[in-house]
Amino acid sequence: MKSLIIAAVAVVGASMAAPALAQTTTTAPTLTQPQGYLNLGYTYLNPYGHDLGELFGRGGVKFSRYWGVEGEVGGGVLGNHFATGRSINSRVNLSEGVQSAIYGVGYLPLPMWGGDKLELLARAGYGETPLRIRSDVGPTANNSNNQITVANWNYGAGVQYALNGKDGLRFDYTRRDFQDKGPDNPKDMDTYSVAFVHKF
């Protein structure tokens, strides 16, 4: 699955490098002249009820004013150190590895509130989230070092505001619906992100 997502992100990048770069006007993107974009941002998430932070990048292509696709890759930059309460000195560090996902995205321009600057968006897709728990006291029967990668269906909504013809800001809410249920896997979680947007 990861190789499929990486290939999809590569296709997105290639798409941006050709016809998308040829767009010099503000005409709406089409199937034959798509518009590419990049996002760089930060996501807040809380697996197992503990706060984490993630830096991410997205590459996407809009095939009309109303729909497109995007790939996302992010990695944890803010872990959480906490006591488990299982035994004396049983403190652990929870962190996120490199997550990846691919989405279909729908857009709804709001010309009455911002001209061509403001639009709502909704997206749905599939991804994988790796989580790592490392013990301060080393692996034991009751306190081990574990890493799991959980598959997740993702869906959410957001808003995007154009600062000018090329750059903007984007805010997203995304629900990660984990498919592998069990006592060692995180419950479904809500994530919130803010990103800088650059269009080609």
Side-chain angles (χ1 to χ4, degrees):
M1 177 60 196
K2 279 192 175 180
S3 60
L4 175 62
I5 292 173
I6 292 170
V9 172
V11 169
V12 166
S15 299
M16 290 186 296
L21 288 174
Q23 284 189 300
T24 57
T25 67
T26 57
T27 58
T30 65
L31 283 173
T32 56
Q33 285 192 313
Q35 180 185 62
Y37 63 86
L38 290 175
N39 287 186
L40 293 175
Y42 177 84
T43 295
Y44 161 80
L45 59 157
N46 63 337
Y48 304 104
H50 298 286
D51 299 337
L52 300 182
E54 169 195 304
L55 287 179
F56 68 85
R58 299 185 188 121
V61 177
K62 291 180 72 173
F63 294 105
S64 79
R65 292 187 66 188
Y66 303 104
W67 70 277
V69 296
E70 67 184 22
E72 177 180 292
V73 176
V77 293
L78 179 64
N80 195 305
H81 196 81
F82 59 94
T84 65
R86 293 182 179 178
S87 62
I88 297 175
N89 296 325
S90 59
R91 292 181 62 82
V92 299
N93 180 269
L94 173 66
S95 60
E96 182 194 32
V98 178
Q99 68 88 13
S100 54
I102 189 166
Y103 294 89
V105 189
Y107 299 88
L108 178 63
L110 299 174
M112 70 289 292
W113 287 329
D116 293 329
K117 294 182 177 293
L118 187 66
E119 59 186 353
L120 299 178
L121 61 96
R123 63 180 192 154
Y126 180 84
E128 294 181 340
T129 301
L131 297 167
R132 182 181 300 112
I133 298 176
R134 294 189 301 276
S135 169
D136 283 359
V137 297
T140 68
N142 296 322
N143 193 12
S144 60
N145 295 330
N146 295 312
Q147 177 170 325
I148 63 170
T149 298
V150 191
N152 41 277
W153 289 105
N154 303 335
Y155 50 89
V159 62
Q160 185 165 276
Y161 183 78
L163 301 173
N164 52 51
K166 295 289 187 181
D167 303 316
L169 295 174
R170 175 170 158 178
F171 303 90
D172 286 90
Y173 158 79
T174 303
R175 177 80 167 177
R176 294 190 190 177
D177 186 353
F178 293 114
Q179 300 304 294
D180 299 324
K181 308 297 183 182
D184 294 330
N185 293 329
K187 296 180 179 179
D188 300 345
M189 66 181 178
D190 302 319
T191 69
Y192 304 89
S193 65
V194 57
F196 171 77
V197 179
H198 181 73
K199 301 176 182 178
F200 294 93

